[in-house]
Amino acid sequence: MRPQIVLFGDSLTQQSFGSGGWGAALANNYSRKADVLLRGYGGYNTRWALFLLHHIFTLDSNKPPVATTVFFGANDAALLGRTSERQHVPVEEYKANLRKIVHHLKECSPTMLIVLITPPPVSEEGRKAHAESLYGEKAMKLPERTNEVTGQYAKACVDVAEEMDVCFINVWSKMQETEGWQKKFLSDGLHLTPEGNAVVYQEVIKVFNESWLCADELPYDFPHHSEIDGKNPEKAFQLKCS
Amino acid sequence: MRPQIVLFGDSLTQQSFGSGGWGAALANNYSRKADVLLRGYGGYNTRWALFLLHHIFTLDSNKPPVATTVFFGANDAALLGRTSERQHVPVEEYKANLRKIVHHLKECSPTMLIVLITPPPVSEEGRKAHAESLYGEKAMKLPERTNEVTGQYAKACVDVAEEMDVCFINVWSKMQETEGWQKKFLSDGLHLTPEGNAVVYQEVIKVFNESWLCADELPYDFPHHSEIDGKNPEKAFQLKCS
């Protein structure tokens, strides 16, 4: 019945309905207007996301999503030869995978609002402190992700968005505009604090508001209660439910 | 693809994806397992909710929700002859309307987990302060809701649940067990603070955890990333996506 907005991504999406999360804030903004569906897969990179793509976004759907956010790259950018290398995807393959995702979404619906989101910046110190808090002296000495390499993936993401003429949000750059972003926006050097979630939400809602999907301009799914005549409620519902 | 949990109610449901909201917390708890759909209609009473019932819960759906929370009564309990009387529904009609809702949900799916939630308590002082903050000296002198009358609706809700053998949560009683509930759990004497949302969430998740819908026991929709062999990812997906 209602239009659907799908959030497709890794843990940064999966955790987006946690306290202060950007996904929950989006669902709240579209309450009574659109459903926000969470399709976040912690730990996934774009290579593994391709296995899900045709299951989540079926080509024969008579009601494809009106919008999809695609938020991968944080795991693709894990370094080879370090503790998270299993998740690594070379940057050229990351670009090719993003192209496949965008191509498939366009095939699902040529009018879908597609928003590519770059990975956030990485705080190497934050990652190190996090690893030490988990593993003590056994923690890796070398970071498994660096901000510089993640920045290459962010640039790759922007390049694909421009090449394929879809919207994008450069979270990697945006966050680094604020002093102290390392602790302000990231809880463990990689995942988002409530403040970091707020940055993502503000950027996402800006893109949505500039599109035809601005919540203020979408109709309520049923009459606002102030439109209901207490003595003759049928009237309001005849207009909107027929 | 995923099972759906529907939250059906008034503003206490509509606002449940706001900061610290009980609906968002539920969606977070079921992330990768079930979709939580928001069907909250601010200002609605059960009389008006009946107009939506057959649209939201269609009898011909091949995939009805696995669970539905029904959270009405806060508006039904508005007093006659006061500023919100337009929303008032007599308590006997409230019971009859709840019965119709439960009956319809059972008809949609005999296995659906149905959870009736009573209205929260009302702080008359909180309502008064809120009205004065909005209207100053022009604010109503008499409260438009009282805790005592809302308690009659809470009891009616519990009665219907027991009579029809569905789950219930008595938020009205539960909240009043805590000293200072008036300000701790209610922001304006009627709506929920983050702490009030936490109470509702804890009670809702308790009911869900005691049912077959306990999130810990539901399968992930796709492999957990730790199950994916980096060198042979197909394998994990062949098992889960076929």
Side-chain angles (χ1 to χ4, degrees), chain A residues 188-201:
Chain A
D188 58 2
L190 181 65
H191 296 97
L192 305 171
T193 60
E195 289 81 5
N197 270 286
V199 172
V200 174
Y201 174 66

Side-chain angles (χ1 to χ4, degrees), chain A residues 39 41 44 86 221 223 228, chain B residues 35 41 44 86 221 223 228:
Chain A
R39 292 293 178 271
Y41 298 87
Y44 273 55
R86 199 174 60 88
D221 59 347
I228 304 172
Chain B
D35 286 326
Y41 299 87
Y44 273 57
R86 199 173 61 89
D221 59 346
I228 304 171

